[in-house]
Amino acid sequence: MSHSISDIASALGAEAFGDTDLRITGVAEPADAGGDDLALAMKPDYAKGLGQGAARAAMLWEGADWQALGLEAAIVAPRPRMAMAGLTRMLDPGPGYGPGIHPTALIDDSAELAPDVAVGAYTIIGAGVRIGAGSIIGPQCHIGPGCELGQGALLHNGARIGPRVRIGDRVTLHPGAAIGMDGFSFVTPEENAVEKARASLGDAGETRAQSWVRIHSLGAVEIGDDVEIGCNTCIDAGTVRPTRIGSGTKIDNLCHVAHNCEVGRDCLFAAMVGIAGSTTIGNNVVFGGQVGVTDNTSVGDGVVAGGASVILSKVPAGRVILGYPATKMETHLEMYKALRRLPRVLADLAGGNKAVSKTPKSD
Amino acid sequence: MSHSISDIASALGAEAFGDTDLRITGVAEPADAGGDDLALAMKPDYAKGLGQGAARAAMLWEGADWQALGLEAAIVAPRPRMAMAGLTRMLDPGPGYGPGIHPTALIDDSAELAPDVAVGAYTIIGAGVRIGAGSIIGPQCHIGPGCELGQGALLHNGARIGPRVRIGDRVTLHPGAAIGMDGFSFVTPEENAVEKARASLGDAGETRAQSWVRIHSLGAVEIGDDVEIGCNTCIDAGTVRPTRIGSGTKIDNLCHVAHNCEVGRDCLFAAMVGIAGSTTIGNNVVFGGQVGVTDNTSVGDGVVAGGASVILSKVPAGRVILGYPATKMETHLEMYKALRRLPRVLADLAGGNKAVSKTPKSD
Amino acid sequence: MSHSISDIASALGAEAFGDTDLRITGVAEPADAGGDDLALAMKPDYAKGLGQGAARAAMLWEGADWQALGLEAAIVAPRPRMAMAGLTRMLDPGPGYGPGIHPTALIDDSAELAPDVAVGAYTIIGAGVRIGAGSIIGPQCHIGPGCELGQGALLHNGARIGPRVRIGDRVTLHPGAAIGMDGFSFVTPEENAVEKARASLGDAGETRAQSWVRIHSLGAVEIGDDVEIGCNTCIDAGTVRPTRIGSGTKIDNLCHVAHNCEVGRDCLFAAMVGIAGSTTIGNNVVFGGQVGVTDNTSVGDGVVAGGASVILSKVPAGRVILGYPATKMETHLEMYKALRRLPRVLADLAGGNKAVSKTPKSD
């Protein structure tokens, strides 16, 4: 599959220069590019690489002199990463799942699939499932009874959906994603150590050893449109009402969203984010990798949390936070700088030296 | 499937009021409840919601006036979350795995399954496996050679058990759980940087770059009764003796228990807990989400660790801990409060101001 | 399967004593050992256990008097853990995957498998895949189109490889590993809160709520020789060039290596390690469990990071680090000791007491 420079530029809303009929078959970093590749040189730093590779065409930074770089054709995009989105979509050969329903797919007679839905080998689709037009259900998937998927779903191989999950349009699930399984909700016959510790802020008191009794999850999961869920990520079913993921939200690999959580629209959770039960996350929230959020709290719209932040209490909208416990980034940095100075300050104080050093030791 | 108010109350050991022959088919939050739902209004806060929804029956807080709330029937339970356990169990329609052995299940001739065991499609059961009465092995599972499962096991779709794992009665494994795979145990031919750093508390010294050689795991895993293991959670095989999970312990999604660990009875590990090799965890231990425990240490009975705590040394029984490194919650909070004040204190000291502020900056 | 003491000693390059024709069938801890087990007593501490068990042969510490311990035969190895590697390899009965190609395996006609490759039940192998001699592809695996695997691969049940992944010789993938799936790369049409917060170190400013647009991953993954990847671990595809894992590197369960990362040779990542996009890790790097590394940074050769360290900036070669943010272990310990003293110091300062205590409160 090849594309002309003019077709690419027009698809991206970008400007094309030179021999715009030149056709490319792939993209490459400048130094690795062959003659049929579009070299990606969206910053002046990459100019040197163009000389090392064999690209005849490149996507360049604004203001670049494509002729001086020895190219036959060039594309210039005002927001390069946005252009990358369109370009990589055009060139993605996809996962290779075939069309049609594989003869080994086991689809319950009561399931209703739009006529063009593809279902891969060894996939199992339960009773009463409904799947919208244009959906591709990869091989080795499992869709429990009563699930509804909208149009244009893409389930990669090995994705798993529990009973009665409702999913909007154009949702992508990656391998090993587990949506709508039982929430982790247990109770003891009498008050237990955790309840006592929470009530007293730290004192578990004398509690009798007890066994845990499961509270079943009847509420399933509800996912909006244009959601993407990464490999081996788990979104647990709600207890009574559904756990909800808003439209446009993207969740990376190995994340966990517990029962009864409500996640807003257009959030971005990097890998290994964990959100405990019954917590509410606003819209346009961005979490770096390994962020944790405690249960029964809320995070406001537009919050940005740096990697590995641990959110232990309510966060107001718009805040940029970091740390364990997570605080305003500014507060966190001040505390950290002070802590770096502290060993020296204490040594000075002990030595009777009141001239407290302001220079932290270098790391 | 519908249940009368009197049947529910009697199953829960709770009191019923009003038209106890009224039948319900589901549960709902008060404001969302339809006429056939039992509304869950176990705190006075929910009274308003009852007026917004259409429930004719509700589970209420102790002392509630069901008639004044406009209900036809009511259930009152002394410990509402405990009542939820019984109620949700009654109403759970389950995962929809059929009875019997699916013709595509591949079961080794030497495996011994009790006559009523159900096995789902595309599941593979290895040589010498034994499975007790009443067990449901979902579809797409894999059970390695020599495993023994007790009575009443429930393996959800895609659960995986390695060779020679022994599992007690009434154990539930969720999708993607991986039990009994090889532990992560490697050695270098000569002393390596980690060994040197541990011996010297931080100095890796001059070590030759070496390759890692695997120590195979021969010890498998041993799991007690009434254990539940979450989606994509991994319990690795022991090296020589089994990794052990005690009866009654519940482990959430995406957790990791490394080789040779011994976990006691009735523990509760929230999602993303990781326990490194050869560590011992007592009974009735509760870990919040993302808690980590270092290798070769021990955590006493009844310990409660807050979310994302990192346990780097032995913890005595009964302690409530938090932080990285985890310390007594009280100590942790004192240190954190002091750290919040520190930037101001250092500024005051540098300015010659000895009247040290006691008020931390607000976050 | 049994082995004579002399055969074992000679395979391990160790010394044998006593009745070296004695045959053993397994290994055990001293107190658990039966008459056909080789007891593992590689430290004097284990001597007592030998008396409690029934072992006739043992692997002993250097200088042990095997006759005084009541044994009939003994093996003494200079580096016991290294001997364990050889010993456990000899005794490992393996996962029980049969030879040959199971009739339910679906292998594309264009795939090229060496004649002795084994493929398990319900496994799917895509178009153009090539697999080298001696490889064992377990059941329920998925190998996407265009993948290349070298000789001696071992894919455990349920391992998943995305399109066009290239893998060297003797690579092991554990159940649920997901290699080469789409990277988590999204862009907004205009500058968003994260870009603003990064540029300003914390101020997200006024940003319009926007939706995320996917950048597809065209670069796949490239894995060297002798690599091992744990259960449910994810290695995402690169955007343009491959994400790379160097030869000899071992990665435990539930880890995440994001798109465009380059990981060197002979690294060791314990469970739950997460590495964000476009980060470079040197050779012989060792990460404890739950370590996180931010995006677009680099970690030098031979770095050792303690459990749950969060690496937020470049780390020079050879450093031993700990903490969040990760610093030199020595610096981290100094800061932590000072922080432990801080509440008392502040109390003293507030009380006008300039004799600052040097004794931290005990935990």
Side-chain angles (χ1 to χ4, degrees):
Chain A
M1 191 172 56
S2 76
H3 302 268
S4 72
I5 294 297
S6 61
D7 285 353
I8 293 172
S10 116
L12 304 183
E15 234 179 324
F17 300 91
D19 175 9
T20 59
D21 291 338
L22 197 149
R23 299 187 77 81
I24 62 103
T25 57
V27 293
E29 303 210 333
D32 301 336
D36 296 330
D37 286 326
L38 181 69
L40 300 174
M42 274 105 75
K43 290 179 188 170
D45 298 350
Y46 290 115
K48 198 178 154 194
L50 285 172
Q52 295 160 347
R56 295 183 293 154
M59 182 136 74
L60 297 175
W61 64 96
E62 250 183 322
D65 180 346
W66 61 275
Q67 285 165 309
L69 290 164
L71 297 166
E72 297 171 28
I75 296 172
V76 172
R79 185 159 160 82
R81 273 178 63 80
M82 192 65 199
M84 279 296 287
L87 183 61
T88 55
R89 190 175 58 241
M90 289 178 75
L91 294 171
D92 188 349
Y97 308 142
I101 292 179
H102 195 276
T104 62
L106 299 171
I107 302 175
D108 191 276
D109 288 344
S110 63
E112 293 176 30
L113 279 59
D116 65 346
V117 170
V119 182
Y122 302 131
T123 281
I124 300 171
I125 297 179
V129 169
R130 292 195 292 183
I131 304 181
S135 294
I136 298 171
I137 310 301
Q140 299 164 328
C141 292
H142 190 275
I143 303 181
C147 289
E148 294 183 27
L149 285 75
Q151 300 188 1
L154 172 56
L155 266 63
H156 283 283
N157 61 93
R160 304 181 179 283
I161 309 181
R164 297 174 303 286
V165 169
R166 279 154 293 165
I167 291 183
D169 294 334
R170 297 171 304 280
V171 164
T172 298
L173 304 187
H174 287 278
I179 314 300
M181 309 309 167
D182 268 322
F184 193 71
S185 187
F186 293 91
V187 61
T188 49
E190 298 169 23
E191 191 181 36
N192 57 54
V194 182
E195 292 168 291
K196 286 208 177 155
R198 287 195 165 203
S200 69
L201 286 178
D203 182 5
E206 289 299 313
T207 46
R208 197 170 60 82
Q210 298 176 76
S211 293
W212 301 97
V213 186
R214 150 169 284 291
I215 295 177
H216 290 243
S217 301
L218 307 177
V221 171
E222 207 173 280
I223 292 179
D225 301 327
D226 300 300
V227 168
E228 184 158 338
I229 293 181
C231 300
N232 294 333
T233 281
C234 307
I235 317 279
D236 277 357
T239 310
V240 173
R241 59 176 166 75
T243 302
R244 290 195 176 94
I245 308 290
S247 290
T249 286
K250 317 293 185 186
I251 302 181
D252 199 355
N253 301 332
L254 294 165
C255 292
H256 168 75
V257 180
H259 58 285
N260 302 339
C261 285
E262 309 234 352
V263 175
R265 297 175 60 97
D266 294 323
C267 294
L268 198 72
F269 298 167
M272 298 175 151
V273 163
I275 304 178
S278 302
T279 276
T280 300
I281 310 288
N283 301 321
N284 300 94
V285 169
V286 177
F287 286 157
Q290 296 185 326
V291 164
V293 189
T294 195
D295 61 292
N296 287 287
T297 195
S298 69
V299 174
D301 292 347
V303 165
V304 177
S309 295
V310 178
I311 297 173
L312 296 178
S313 56
K314 189 174 170 171
V315 182
R319 192 151 282 187
V320 179
I321 58 176
L322 187 65
Y324 173 23
T327 57
K328 278 174 81 164
M329 189 170 286
E330 190 184 285
T331 308
H332 177 82
L333 293 176
E334 274 175 17
M335 286 194 294
Y336 185 66
K337 282 181 199 163
L339 181 58
R340 287 301 291 263
R341 289 173 57 202
L342 187 61
R344 162 60 61 101
V345 169
L346 294 188
D348 287 353
L349 283 172
N353 178 355
K354 283 167 209 128
V356 176
S357 163
K358 286 188 105 162
T359 318
K361 273 188 72 167
S362 80
D363 178 17
Chain B
M1 192 172 56
S2 77
H3 304 266
S4 73
I5 294 297
S6 60
D7 285 353
I8 293 173
S10 116
L12 304 182
E15 237 179 320
F17 301 90
D19 175 9
T20 58
D21 291 338
L22 196 148
R23 299 186 78 81
I24 61 104
T25 58
V27 293
E29 303 211 333
D32 301 337
D36 296 331
D37 287 326
L38 181 71
L40 300 173
M42 276 103 76
K43 291 179 188 171
D45 298 349
Y46 291 114
K48 198 178 154 195
L50 285 171
Q52 296 160 347
R56 295 183 293 153
M59 181 137 75
L60 297 175
W61 64 97
E62 251 183 322
D65 181 345
W66 62 275
Q67 285 164 310
L69 291 164
L71 297 166
E72 298 172 28
I75 297 171
V76 172
R79 185 159 160 81
R81 274 178 62 80
M82 193 64 200
M84 280 294 288
L87 183 61
T88 56
R89 189 177 57 240
M90 288 178 77
L91 294 170
D92 188 349
Y97 309 142
I101 293 181
H102 195 275
T104 62
L106 299 171
I107 302 174
D108 191 276
D109 288 344
S110 62
E112 294 175 29
L113 279 58
D116 65 346
V117 169
V119 182
Y122 303 132
T123 281
I124 300 170
I125 296 179
V129 168
R130 292 194 292 183
I131 303 181
S135 294
I136 298 171
I137 310 301
Q140 300 163 328
C141 292
H142 190 274
I143 303 181
C147 289
E148 294 182 26
L149 285 75
Q151 299 187 3
L154 172 55
L155 266 62
H156 284 282
N157 61 93
R160 304 182 177 283
I161 309 180
R164 295 174 304 285
V165 169
R166 280 154 292 167
I167 290 183
D169 294 335
R170 296 170 304 279
V171 164
T172 298
L173 304 186
H174 288 278
I179 314 301
M181 309 308 167
D182 268 321
F184 193 71
S185 187
F186 293 92
V187 59
T188 50
E190 299 169 22
E191 191 181 38
N192 57 55
V194 182
E195 291 167 290
K196 286 205 176 158
R198 288 196 164 201
S200 70
L201 286 179
D203 181 6
E206 289 298 314
T207 46
R208 197 170 61 81
Q210 298 178 78
S211 293
W212 301 97
V213 185
R214 152 169 281 293
I215 295 176
H216 291 243
S217 301
L218 308 178
V221 171
E222 208 172 280
I223 292 179
D225 300 327
D226 301 300
V227 169
E228 183 158 340
I229 294 181
C231 300
N232 295 332
T233 280
C234 307
I235 317 279
D236 277 358
T239 309
V240 173
R241 57 174 167 77
T243 302
R244 291 194 177 94
I245 308 290
S247 291
T249 286
K250 318 293 185 184
I251 302 182
D252 198 356
N253 300 333
L254 294 165
C255 292
H256 168 76
V257 179
H259 57 286
N260 301 338
C261 285
E262 309 233 352
V263 175
R265 296 176 60 97
D266 293 323
C267 294
L268 198 72
F269 298 168
M272 298 174 152
V273 163
I275 304 177
S278 301
T279 275
T280 301
I281 309 288
N283 301 321
N284 299 95
V285 169
V286 178
F287 286 157
Q290 296 184 327
V291 163
V293 189
T294 195
D295 60 293
N296 287 288
T297 195
S298 68
V299 174
D301 291 349
V303 165
V304 177
S309 295
V310 177
I311 297 173
L312 296 177
S313 54
K314 190 174 169 170
V315 183
R319 192 152 282 187
V320 179
I321 58 175
L322 187 65
Y324 174 24
T327 56
K328 277 175 81 164
M329 189 171 286
E330 189 184 285
T331 308
H332 178 81
L333 294 176
E334 275 175 17
M335 287 194 293
Y336 184 66
K337 283 181 199 162
L339 181 58
R340 287 300 292 263
R341 290 173 57 202
L342 187 62
R344 162 61 58 103
V345 169
L346 294 189
D348 286 353
L349 282 172
N353 179 355
K354 282 168 210 128
V356 176
S357 162
K358 286 188 107 165
T359 319
K361 275 188 71 167
S362 80
D363 178 16
Chain C
M1 190 171 58
S2 76
H3 303 267
S4 73
I5 294 296
S6 60
D7 285 351
I8 292 173
S10 116
L12 304 183
E15 236 179 321
F17 301 91
D19 175 9
T20 58
D21 290 337
L22 197 149
R23 300 187 76 82
I24 61 104
T25 58
V27 293
E29 303 210 334
D32 301 336
D36 296 330
D37 287 326
L38 181 70
L40 301 174
M42 275 105 75
K43 290 179 189 170
D45 297 350
Y46 291 114
K48 197 178 154 196
L50 284 171
Q52 295 160 347
R56 296 183 291 154
M59 182 137 75
L60 296 175
W61 64 96
E62 249 181 324
D65 180 347
W66 61 275
Q67 285 165 310
L69 291 164
L71 297 166
E72 298 173 28
I75 296 171
V76 173
R79 185 161 161 80
R81 274 178 62 80
M82 192 65 199
M84 278 295 287
L87 183 61
T88 56
R89 189 175 58 240
M90 288 178 78
L91 294 171
D92 187 349
Y97 309 142
I101 293 180
H102 195 275
T104 62
L106 298 171
I107 302 175
D108 191 276
D109 288 345
S110 63
E112 294 176 29
L113 279 58
D116 64 347
V117 169
V119 182
Y122 302 131
T123 281
I124 300 171
I125 296 179
V129 168
R130 292 195 292 183
I131 303 181
S135 293
I136 298 171
I137 310 301
Q140 300 164 328
C141 292
H142 191 273
I143 303 181
C147 288
E148 295 183 26
L149 285 77
Q151 300 187 1
L154 172 57
L155 266 62
H156 283 282
N157 62 91
R160 304 182 178 283
I161 310 180
R164 298 175 303 285
V165 168
R166 279 155 293 167
I167 290 182
D169 293 335
R170 296 171 304 279
V171 164
T172 299
L173 304 187
H174 288 277
I179 313 301
M181 310 307 166
D182 267 321
F184 193 71
S185 187
F186 292 92
V187 59
T188 49
E190 299 169 23
E191 192 179 37
N192 57 54
V194 182
E195 291 168 290
K196 285 205 178 157
R198 287 196 164 201
S200 70
L201 287 179
D203 181 6
E206 288 299 313
T207 46
R208 197 169 61 79
Q210 300 178 74
S211 293
W212 301 97
V213 185
R214 151 170 281 292
I215 295 176
H216 290 243
S217 300
L218 307 177
V221 170
E222 207 172 281
I223 291 179
D225 300 327
D226 300 300
V227 169
E228 185 158 338
I229 294 180
C231 300
N232 294 333
T233 281
C234 306
I235 318 279
D236 277 357
T239 310
V240 172
R241 58 175 166 78
T243 303
R244 289 195 177 94
I245 308 291
S247 290
T249 286
K250 317 293 185 186
I251 302 181
D252 198 355
N253 300 333
L254 293 166
C255 292
H256 168 76
V257 179
H259 57 286
N260 302 338
C261 285
E262 309 233 352
V263 175
R265 297 175 61 96
D266 293 323
C267 294
L268 199 72
F269 298 167
M272 299 175 149
V273 163
I275 304 178
S278 302
T279 275
T280 300
I281 309 289
N283 301 320
N284 299 94
V285 169
V286 177
F287 287 157
Q290 295 185 327
V291 164
V293 189
T294 195
D295 61 291
N296 286 287
T297 195
S298 69
V299 174
D301 291 348
V303 165
V304 176
S309 296
V310 178
I311 297 173
L312 295 178
S313 55
K314 189 173 170 173
V315 182
R319 192 152 282 189
V320 179
I321 58 176
L322 187 66
Y324 173 24
T327 57
K328 277 174 83 163
M329 188 170 287
E330 190 184 285
T331 308
H332 177 81
L333 294 176
E334 275 175 17
M335 286 194 294
Y336 184 66
K337 283 180 198 163
L339 181 58
R340 286 301 290 261
R341 291 173 57 202
L342 186 62
R344 161 61 59 101
V345 169
L346 294 188
D348 287 352
L349 283 172
N353 178 355
K354 283 167 206 123
V356 177
S357 163
K358 287 189 106 164
T359 317
K361 274 187 71 167
S362 81
D363 179 16

